[in-house]
Amino acid sequence: MTEGTNTTAGSPPDERQQLNGRGGRHRGRRGRHAPPKRGARPGRRAAPAGKGGGLARSSLLMAVGTVVSRATGLIRQVLQAAALGTGLLASTYNTANTVPTGLYTLLIGGALNAVLVPQLVRARTTHPDGGRAYEQRLVTLVLCVLAVGTALAVWAAPEIVGLYMRDTPDNHEAFELTVVFARFLLPQIFFYGMFGMLGQVLNAREKFGAMMWTPVLNNIVLIGMFGAYLGLMTAPDHVGDITASQVRLLGAGTTCGIALQALALIPYVREAGFRFRPRFDWRGAGLRKSARAARWTLLFVLANQVALTVVTNYANAADQQLPTAGAGYTAYSYAQTIWLLPQSIVTVSLVTALLPRLSTAAAQGRTDDLRGELSRALRLTGAVIVPAGFFFLALGPQTATLLFGHGTADASSAQPLGQMLQAFGLGLIPFSAQYLLLRGFYAFEDTRTPFWMAVWIAAVNIALATACHHLLPPRWAVVGMAGAYTLSYAVGLLLTARLLRRRLGGRMDGKRLLRTYGKLGLAAAPAGALAWAVAHGLAADGAAGTLRTALALTTGAAAMALGYLLLARLLRVGELRLRLR
């Protein structure tokens, strides 16, 4: 999966685009420093990034919105699994639903996430009109690209689906169903792009809340859709049993949810002062710089998408061989979604608030501030991410059974999903850290280095996934692919840290980071072992009932939380004492 959909990711230009060529200081048209914002006192320097109350409070606001969004998303996913199961039928819908996300990310999503915030911030501080004309041109360009890309994707749906799922005589029925779903779902590309573009306009103004809260509307629509599917229709078990009305409900309902999510941002951008006026005078407007930055971003996203396509193809092959075992693509995607929850709630929220500050620090040559913010972000997120990784390792099967062992699925078909969750487990630590470190390059508008990191990660992931596909039996092949994903990001973290250390003048607060993560690991590992022992003692049987599984999971989680907090206190892990300043 991509980092940004994984969800997902992007990047900033093949050359550092610092306007004076070296040293990292931003030279605007009016002199050495960017002009002060309207209303600011003359001669007063901006506060360094991270000072004051902004970062922690903005991160908390986004984290709360993300928690609500992810909670409703989890309810939606549980209903989806109950309606469609975790086998081949579910994979036809989930594969088709992966296609618009991947194409959106490839078309423009990566650039929106990582290139355009620094560009928009720079335009707002250096352009005489506060960046208004630049924003209007950029939004116009993005919407045009999205409209054309969406139309072409709907037209080429069979060829695109063929990249993710093999069309064989034995699998033709599933392939055709996936194409039908894709034609309903591909218009999401346009609405994903609208949501992303308007969200970045808000982020550049340091208005973060709406982008974190509006996905709740999408989840509410999908909860209603899957509820209606379960309540009003007979849920099919096999691909051939699904009816045209069920396909229409699932396809149209899913796209309507994304459209509502995007359109809901319009009042917020208006309130923030943005007025959209189509502008096609792109020549000579400074967009060439964004295009150069996006070039490497697109290559970055392409590397991730190639890996995603290979893994999806292999996972769908496992589904075709074992159509009801729950050991293929749907199980992989559900496990990865659950695994990414701590990253989405903690790391992404913090990074969204942090990136404009990092960009400002890089533009003003304040390397020490940039280094300090990255170190602080790594330590704060690690306090949650490290124990979360051990939680999935210890309690993955119980989590999967409790969430997905219902409806057309059962406890036995949820077991492969739980084992995939365990295989992903500890990979959350390098995944989150690497995601954060890449933002150091993006702050310098360097997109070439993240691209090469993505190439290495994708190459390792593809090589290991291919080995799993050919050497392991279908029941275990995709579990192995989850472990391959973990190992690929461990390699990526080592390479990223080494290169960023060079970029930051040979220093990256490494001793402090290693000491903090060492303490966190020493606290989380025994706590995870305790959780496993407690849960295994209460529900050793994988086919235990719902109440017994829930008791085992909650008791194990409580034991782990108490053990972790106690050990962290004994080890004096200060990062657990976060204060809003």
Side-chain angles (χ1 to χ4, degrees), residues 89-126:
L89 173 61
S91 290
T92 61
Y93 171 83
N94 286 318
T95 300
N97 209 21
T98 297
V99 173
T101 308
L103 290 179
Y104 151 70
T105 307
L106 188 59
L107 272 174
I108 204 76
L112 288 178
N113 287 341
V115 178
L116 296 185
V117 168
Q119 298 285 356
L120 291 172
V121 169
R122 198 177 294 274
R124 284 177 57 78
T125 57
T126 61

Side-chain angles (χ1 to χ4, degrees), residues 212-374:
M212 297 298 173
W213 283 92
T214 47
V216 175
L217 297 174
N218 173 46
N219 289 330
I220 290 172
V221 170
L222 294 184
I223 287 170
M225 181 190 76
F226 284 114
Y229 183 95
L230 283 168
L232 302 177
M233 302 177 176
T234 302
D237 294 323
H238 303 286
V239 169
D241 297 334
I242 194 166
T243 65
S245 59
Q246 288 172 323
V247 172
R248 285 194 297 269
L249 173 64
L250 294 171
T254 304
T255 296
C256 285
I258 298 297
L260 178 61
Q261 171 182 299
L263 296 172
L265 282 184
I266 293 176
Y268 292 98
V269 294
R270 289 184 60 82
E271 184 182 355
F274 175 74
R275 297 293 183 271
F276 177 60
R277 181 169 69 86
R279 296 191 63 148
F280 299 93
D281 52 336
W282 300 329
R283 185 183 295 274
L287 294 177
R288 185 182 298 273
K289 184 178 187 179
S290 296
R292 285 199 303 267
R295 175 182 62 186
W296 288 101
T297 299
L298 290 176
L299 290 172
F300 174 97
V301 172
L302 181 61
N304 281 314
Q305 288 300 311
V306 169
L308 170 63
T309 302
V310 171
V311 171
T312 303
N313 199 300
Y314 289 158
N316 276 323
D319 268 325
Q320 291 159 22
Q321 291 179 280
L322 301 172
T324 61
Y329 177 66
T330 290
Y332 183 92
S333 62
Y334 286 176
Q336 193 172 54
T337 300
I338 300 301
W339 175 73
L340 283 171
L341 282 175
Q343 161 83 358
S344 303
I345 294 169
V346 178
T347 309
V348 174
S349 299
L350 182 63
V351 163
T352 306
L354 187 64
L355 185 56
R357 296 168 182 264
L358 293 177
S359 302
T360 302
Q364 295 177 355
R366 294 187 281 107
T367 305
D368 287 341
D369 285 341
L370 192 152
R371 183 189 300 112
E373 286 294 339
L374 282 174

Side-chain angles (χ1 to χ4, degrees), residues 237-552:
D237 294 323
H238 303 286
V239 169
D241 297 334
I242 194 166
T243 65
S245 59
Q246 288 172 323
V247 172
R248 285 194 297 269
L249 173 64
L250 294 171
T254 304
T255 296
C256 285
I258 298 297
L260 178 61
Q261 171 182 299
L263 296 172
L265 282 184
I266 293 176
Y268 292 98
V269 294
R270 289 184 60 82
E271 184 182 355
F274 175 74
R275 297 293 183 271
F276 177 60
R277 181 169 69 86
R279 296 191 63 148
F280 299 93
D281 52 336
W282 300 329
R283 185 183 295 274
L287 294 177
R288 185 182 298 273
K289 184 178 187 179
S290 296
R292 285 199 303 267
R295 175 182 62 186
W296 288 101
T297 299
L298 290 176
L299 290 172
F300 174 97
V301 172
L302 181 61
N304 281 314
Q305 288 300 311
V306 169
L308 170 63
T309 302
V310 171
V311 171
T312 303
N313 199 300
Y314 289 158
N316 276 323
D319 268 325
Q320 291 159 22
Q321 291 179 280
L322 301 172
T324 61
Y329 177 66
T330 290
Y332 183 92
S333 62
Y334 286 176
Q336 193 172 54
T337 300
I338 300 301
W339 175 73
L340 283 171
L341 282 175
Q343 161 83 358
S344 303
I345 294 169
V346 178
T347 309
V348 174
S349 299
L350 182 63
V351 163
T352 306
L354 187 64
L355 185 56
R357 296 168 182 264
L358 293 177
S359 302
T360 302
Q364 295 177 355
R366 294 187 281 107
T367 305
D368 287 341
D369 285 341
L370 192 152
R371 183 189 300 112
E373 286 294 339
L374 282 174
S375 173
R376 178 172 176 246
L378 282 166
R379 288 181 282 111
L380 289 177
T381 56
V384 176
I385 294 298
V386 172
F390 279 96
F391 172 87
F392 293 132
L393 180 63
L395 300 174
Q398 291 84 1
T399 303
T401 301
L402 184 63
L403 293 177
F404 301 111
H406 311 284
T408 57
D410 55 26
S412 62
S413 63
Q415 282 304 298
L417 196 160
Q419 289 153 355
M420 292 175 202
L421 198 51
Q422 288 181 304
F424 277 123
L426 296 183
L428 189 64
I429 301 168
F431 181 87
S432 177
Q434 201 260 354
Y435 179 90
L436 267 168
L437 290 182
L438 283 183
R439 271 61 201 167
F441 293 106
Y442 299 157
F444 286 111
E445 299 186 20
D446 174 4
T447 50
R448 183 166 56 179
T449 304
F451 160 68
W452 288 112
M453 294 302 95
V455 169
W456 277 103
I457 291 170
V460 173
N461 192 19
I462 289 171
L464 294 176
T466 301
C468 292
H469 174 66
H470 289 291
L471 300 178
L472 296 177
R475 167 62 180 82
W476 292 99
V478 185
V479 176
M481 291 177 205
Y485 193 86
T486 289
L487 291 175
S488 68
Y489 272 93
V491 172
L493 174 61
L494 294 175
L495 292 172
T496 303
R498 181 180 178 184
L499 292 176
L500 184 60
R501 185 171 180 267
R502 273 191 219 162
R503 192 59 171 271
L504 295 176
R507 294 187 295 117
M508 209 176 68
D509 205 14
K511 290 183 179 179
R512 188 178 186 187
L513 288 170
L514 288 174
R515 183 169 60 249
T516 298
Y517 273 78
K519 289 181 178 180
L520 293 171
L522 287 174
L530 175 63
W532 178 87
V534 169
H536 191 74
L538 290 173
D541 183 3
T546 300
L547 289 178
R548 201 166 147 205
T549 302
L551 177 63

